[in-house]
Amino acid sequence: MIQLHNVCKSYQKDSAALEEINLKIPKGDFVYITGASGAGKSTLLKLLYCAEKPSRGQILIDGQNVTRMGLGRIPRLRRRLGIVFQDFKLLNRRTVFENVAFPLEVQGRKRYEVSKKVFHTLKMVGLEHKLQRHPLELSGGEQQRVAVARALVIDPVVLIADEPTGNLDPEVALEIMELFKGANARGSTVLLATHDREMIRRIPRRVITLDQGRLVDDRAPYDTVPGE
Ligand code: ADP
Ligand code: ADP
């Protein structure tokens, strides 16, 4: 359902953030994208949610060529994606409820439907008692769970997360991972950029490794990782 053909991305000439990436991710897959800082993980995710355009190559999502997609159609695609940003990007002047309701409102859902879905999703992430709070009144782990709830509330076709457990203690990180596993079980394709080797060991899934913009390894769960 996601395909990349010879995708290259350069932000500046003479340096490539991604080079000749070829990749197929079937619907319902759960994939870790790993590699050192600067390897190109964020860039790969940004291409998928159309925050950046590839310099060359093609990207197909659900059969649609997003590379050629007109500007008008990008928002429509994005409305079906759940994105968890590294820095959360919550609306700090809005309540937790309003933050999670936002993507549903963008979809034009009816008010009762929005409320029902938001309550359900906040309950799932264990924050139903904090719905009138503002993000800055919450701990980092709670803010992260709001960000995850906002991504999950639309039952996304693809869930994309950039280092979602990076700054969390291991306990909270595992809870967040359980939420991603749940979304995956309900049908979302999950793409998760992470440095967290321990998490990959505990929850084994397909692992794609980038090194200086190149895809250097792509392995099924339980294959041993070099050096381990
Ligand atoms: P990762 O997420 O694996 O740390 P990135 O995708 O953020 O890697 O970065 C890959 C390379 O592209 C790095 O060399 C980084 O400095 C460069 N890069 C990323 N974003 C930009 C940008 N907006 N402008 C210029 N260079 C960028
Ligand atoms: P990551 O941990 O994903 O590598 P970074 O801290 O590298 O994140 O990047 C944070 C932001 O800065 C991103 O939006 C990225 O696109 C941008 N960025 C990264 N490297 C550069 C760069 N060399 N020049 C300009 N922007 C950059």
Side-chain angles (χ1 to χ4, degrees), residues 66-93:
V66 302
T67 331
R68 291 216 208 102
M69 205 183 268
L71 277 179
R73 298 199 33 212
I74 290 175
R76 211 191 309 165
L77 170 74
R78 272 211 207 142
R79 262 175 244 159
R80 301 167 59 218
L81 306 179
I83 308 168
V84 181
F85 297 97
Q86 224 169 0
D87 55 355
F88 313 150
K89 294 197 196 301
L90 297 173
L91 304 167
N92 289 330
R93 295 178 173 202

Side-chain angles (χ1 to χ4, degrees), residues 9-17 55:
K9 175 66 185 178
S10 298
Y11 292 99
Q12 291 138 331
K13 60 175 185 305
D14 306 328
S15 84
S55 308

Side-chain angles (χ1 to χ4, degrees), residues 11-12 37-38 41-43 46 52 86 162-163 195:
Y11 292 99
Q12 291 138 331
S37 184
K41 303 180 295 296
S42 298
T43 300
K46 283 176 188 169
E52 295 284 352
Q86 224 169 0
D162 198 349
E163 299 280 357
H195 279 107

Side-chain angles (χ1 to χ4, degrees), residues 150-167:
R150 183 183 55 185
L152 295 183
V153 76
I154 57 163
D155 297 317
V157 177
V158 185
L159 177 65
I160 293 174
D162 198 349
E163 299 280 357
T165 58
N167 305 313

Side-chain angles (χ1 to χ4, degrees), residues 2-228:
I2 297 174
Q3 290 184 55
L4 282 78
H5 295 291
N6 301 327
V7 168
C8 302
K9 175 66 185 178
S10 298
Y11 292 99
Q12 291 138 331
K13 60 175 185 305
D14 306 328
S15 84
L18 288 176
E19 292 187 68
E20 297 293 327
I21 304 291
N22 288 290
L23 185 58
K24 268 190 197 164
I25 299 172
K27 200 175 176 63
D29 234 8
F30 189 126
V31 185
Y32 292 111
I33 299 163
T34 191
S37 184
K41 303 180 295 296
S42 298
T43 300
L44 180 60
L45 297 183
K46 283 176 188 169
L47 294 177
L48 294 175
Y49 60 82
C50 304
E52 295 284 352
K53 270 193 168 292
S55 308
R56 269 192 294 132
Q58 290 199 343
I59 300 173
L60 299 170
I61 299 179
D62 239 350
Q64 291 185 77
N65 188 335
V66 302
T67 331
R68 291 216 208 102
M69 205 183 268
L71 277 179
R73 298 199 33 212
I74 290 175
R76 211 191 309 165
L77 170 74
R78 272 211 207 142
R79 262 175 244 159
R80 301 167 59 218
L81 306 179
I83 308 168
V84 181
F85 297 97
Q86 224 169 0
D87 55 355
F88 313 150
K89 294 197 196 301
L90 297 173
L91 304 167
N92 289 330
R93 295 178 173 202
R94 307 279 184 90
T95 63
V96 166
F97 180 95
E98 289 165 343
N99 270 276
V100 178
F102 188 71
L104 294 170
E105 282 161 359
V106 170
Q107 288 184 340
R109 305 290 189 94
K110 298 210 167 60
R111 184 178 289 215
Y112 76 89
E113 197 188 351
V114 171
S115 298
K116 205 170 106 185
K117 273 245 149 211
V118 173
F119 283 125
H120 175 78
T121 310
L122 282 173
K123 203 162 176 188
M124 198 163 68
V125 306
L127 284 178
E128 71 275 22
H129 56 300
K130 300 257 163 122
L131 51 97
Q132 292 308 333
R133 298 295 188 85
H134 288 79
L136 297 180
E137 299 174 85
L138 305 178
S139 72
E142 288 170 335
Q143 289 182 40
Q144 181 66 298
R145 281 189 277 157
V146 177
V148 172
R150 183 183 55 185
L152 295 183
V153 76
I154 57 163
D155 297 317
V157 177
V158 185
L159 177 65
I160 293 174
D162 198 349
E163 299 280 357
T165 58
N167 305 313
L168 304 176
D169 66 60
E171 200 93 329
V172 182
L174 264 180
E175 285 170 27
I176 299 281
M177 289 298 297
E178 287 301 321
L179 296 171
F180 291 149
K181 277 167 68 179
N184 187 236
R186 291 191 301 277
S188 298
T189 303
V190 176
L191 300 178
L192 210 155
T194 186
H195 279 107
D196 193 343
R197 285 265 142 219
E198 176 59 17
M199 192 60 76
I200 298 175
R201 198 184 59 75
R202 290 180 78 153
I203 304 175
R205 294 290 185 272
R206 180 179 174 187
V207 182
I208 288 167
T209 307
L210 298 176
D211 182 22
Q212 297 181 48
R214 291 186 178 276
L215 198 164
V216 293
D217 198 57
D218 184 350
R219 63 182 63 218
Y222 304 112
D223 281 5
T224 45
V225 175
E228 283 187 359

